[in-house]
Amino acid sequence: MIIPYGRQSIDDDDIQAVTEVLRSDWLTQGPSVPAFEAALAAYCGVPHCIAVNSATSALHIACQALGIGQGDIVWTSPNSFVASANCAKYLGADVDFVDISLATGNLCPHQLERKLIQAKAENRLPKVVIPVHFAGQSCDMRAIHALSQTYGFAIIEDASHAIGGAYCGSKVGGCHFSDMTVFSFHPVKVMTTGEGGAITTRDPQLAATLEKLRSHGITRDPSEMTIPAHGPWYYQQQTLGYNYRLTDIQAALGLSQLGKLDTFITERNRLARQYDSLLRDLPITALQQSDDCLNAYHLYIVNINDAQPEQRADVFSQLREAGIGVNVHYIPIHLQPYYQKMGYKQGDFPNAEAYYQSALTLPLYPRLTDEQQQYVVDVLSKLL
Ligand SMILES: *Cc1c(COP(=O)(O)O)cnc(C)c1O
């Protein structure tokens, strides 16, 4: 593959930041993790940030911190990576989906309202809703938040695609319309720590719970203990947690990457606008952009107009053969065998299914050159 669909941008200063940690006393549980968390919180304009080893772990403990367990119901978008739904299954909860808007690929607030009205009548309201900021553009959080006030559910934003983006004038991660926001630092995402994730929140109690869950359910804070500390060595395990810690090696990379995040976003937006204009005359539809959002542009996706499944597969294969690493986001979660075992079937979420049928993710990352982009457009134009 000559041109991947996404890839990291690592400079010498990123490498230097990592090697400095390798030469230091602390490979993990040192000063880099809190430094990264403080910088990320400041960037998002939010009081609390908890760094963890992946967005999957972040989603898991975010659900757990909200008390999700057996018998609870969690709703998310079917047009997402499976981790957005699996987090609730880890805790024994039931997962259901809210169909998307075809224009944006995001969870549709009107469908959400319709489903809430029905769920209320059936006494099956969700405890948590997890909107996914698809491809890097925020969901309509004002509308979703307003519904949460009426129907009494908590909100976890899955912003795995959207770090560096903004919504209604505030950075994604500010949690103005949610309880928590989750980020991913996998290398294909907008910024990276190799593997890694983070949770932001405005709620100090949630932050304290998340911090414990990240590290075995243990606290070393005397003010949180049930009895006076036996001595300076003393810690208490107060709940069942995990080892979901980020290393200092990763946090140093994250801190260095965070300093470049805005330039990554600018470059991704420039390339996206260029795709818009280069693809203008092709029989494709790009995702609709909202004036409320600065898109972080994790992904640039087009839908091939009126595509039959075979046609998309054909275009996909020919682009791959031409050395262009296209991809497809996403196979609707409810069509995965694991979820079909719970009774979900084809036809349950028609927009997500229709969207999937014609979607194609084109290469987009800050170091994609104008020449490479033109090559992608030229090959695609010939195929369509
Ligand atoms: C990548 C991704 C995740 C999982 O992120 P990891 O850091 O790889 O665990 C979760 N949700 C969405 C929407 C993603 O794209």
Side-chain angles (χ1 to χ4, degrees):
M1 206 71 66
I2 304 160
I3 309 173
Y5 82 90
R7 69 160 288 156
Q8 68 277 12
S9 304
I10 300 290
D11 296 325
D12 286 344
D13 60 338
D14 294 309
I15 294 166
Q16 197 184 332
V18 169
T19 54
E20 269 169 31
V21 173
L22 288 171
R23 286 180 225 280
S24 79
D25 294 334
W26 303 93
L27 300 189
T28 191
Q29 296 180 284
S32 294
V33 170
F36 177 46
E37 289 172 333
L40 192 52
Y43 180 88
C44 293
V46 71
H48 307 285
C49 175
I50 294 88
V52 291
N53 59 358
S54 72
T56 303
S57 304
L59 287 163
H60 178 193
I61 61 173
C63 283
Q64 191 163 334
L66 289 169
I68 289 296
Q70 213 123 42
D72 289 325
I73 300 167
V74 174
W75 290 0
T76 187
S77 170
N79 183 35
S80 186
F81 185 54
V82 291
S84 306
N86 290 347
C87 54
K89 297 306 299 178
Y90 294 147
L91 296 162
D94 293 327
V95 171
D96 201 350
F97 304 93
V98 181
D99 209 354
I100 58 166
S101 139
L102 277 172
T104 62
N106 273 333
L107 186 149
C108 170
H110 304 294
Q111 307 247 21
L112 176 60
E113 182 165 27
R114 229 170 296 151
K115 199 174 169 93
L116 285 165
I117 291 167
Q118 195 184 345
K120 188 171 184 203
E122 294 167 1
N123 206 16
R124 281 191 53 80
L125 282 169
K127 189 159 170 175
V128 174
V129 174
I130 307 178
V132 180
H133 301 326
F134 182 63
Q137 176 166 244
S138 177
C139 292
D140 183 350
M141 292 309 300
R142 277 185 197 280
I144 296 168
H145 182 258
L147 290 168
S148 78
Q149 300 304 104
T150 309
Y151 291 93
F153 55 85
I155 300 173
I156 302 169
E157 297 174 67
D158 184 344
S160 294
H161 300 182
I163 192 163
Y167 173 73
C168 289
S170 300
K171 282 266 156 45
V172 170
C175 300
H176 298 289
F177 301 100
S178 66
D179 298 276
M180 287 173 273
T181 303
V182 165
F183 295 121
S184 171
F185 308 127
H186 184 279
V188 296
K189 305 289 164 72
V190 177
M191 60 166 266
T192 190
T193 60
E195 295 274 1
I199 309 153
T200 57
T201 182
R202 310 193 80 82
D203 182 332
Q205 232 140 13
L206 282 175
T209 304
L210 291 168
E211 223 167 287
K212 264 182 273 192
L213 289 173
R214 162 178 70 180
S215 196
H216 308 283
I218 284 173
T219 183
R220 291 174 183 276
D221 179 353
S223 74
E224 288 190 25
M225 290 180 188
T226 55
I227 56 164
H230 298 171
W233 64 87
Y234 188 66
Y235 58 82
Q236 277 191 341
Q237 186 196 343
Q238 298 181 328
T239 182
L240 185 61
Y242 312 91
N243 180 352
Y244 281 173
R245 293 186 305 261
L246 193 71
T247 65
D248 276 47
I249 305 165
Q250 294 167 305
L253 179 55
L255 197 51
S256 175
Q257 288 266 297
L258 186 60
K260 292 177 259 197
L261 178 56
D262 286 340
T263 64
F264 293 163
I265 300 297
T266 303
E267 188 56 14
R268 284 175 176 275
N269 273 272
R270 184 186 75 80
L271 288 163
R273 291 294 76 77
Q274 208 154 270
Y275 265 134
D276 288 345
S277 112
L278 292 169
L279 298 171
R280 205 176 31 223
D281 299 325
L282 295 191
I284 56 101
T285 307
L287 290 169
Q288 197 175 82
Q289 301 303 307
S290 157
D291 292 338
D292 290 337
C293 299
L294 170 65
N295 194 335
Y297 269 112
H298 162 48
L299 301 172
Y300 189 89
I301 299 172
V302 297
N303 284 83
I304 303 169
N305 296 346
D306 308 315
Q308 296 307 304
E310 319 79 65
Q311 189 196 358
R312 195 267 310 270
D314 197 43
V315 171
F316 181 98
S317 305
Q318 299 208 48
L319 285 161
R320 282 273 176 108
E321 270 164 40
I324 299 167
V326 284
N327 216 317
V328 170
H329 296 90
Y330 281 101
I331 306 157
I333 300 175
H334 70 282
L335 298 182
Q336 296 291 352
Y338 175 73
Y339 284 93
Q340 294 204 300
K341 271 188 273 173
M342 290 163 215
Y344 292 108
K345 56 189 186 310
Q346 191 87 38
D348 283 345
F349 304 98
N351 285 356
E353 292 167 21
Y355 180 84
Y356 165 61
Q357 180 161 302
S358 66
L360 192 64
T361 303
L362 304 181
L364 178 66
Y365 49 93
R367 287 183 187 167
L368 182 73
T369 66
D370 290 352
E371 293 70 34
Q372 287 173 321
Q373 190 180 32
Q374 186 63 55
Y375 174 68
V376 172
V377 170
D378 290 345
V379 176
L380 185 62
S381 305
K382 276 192 209 114
L383 294 172
L384 296 177

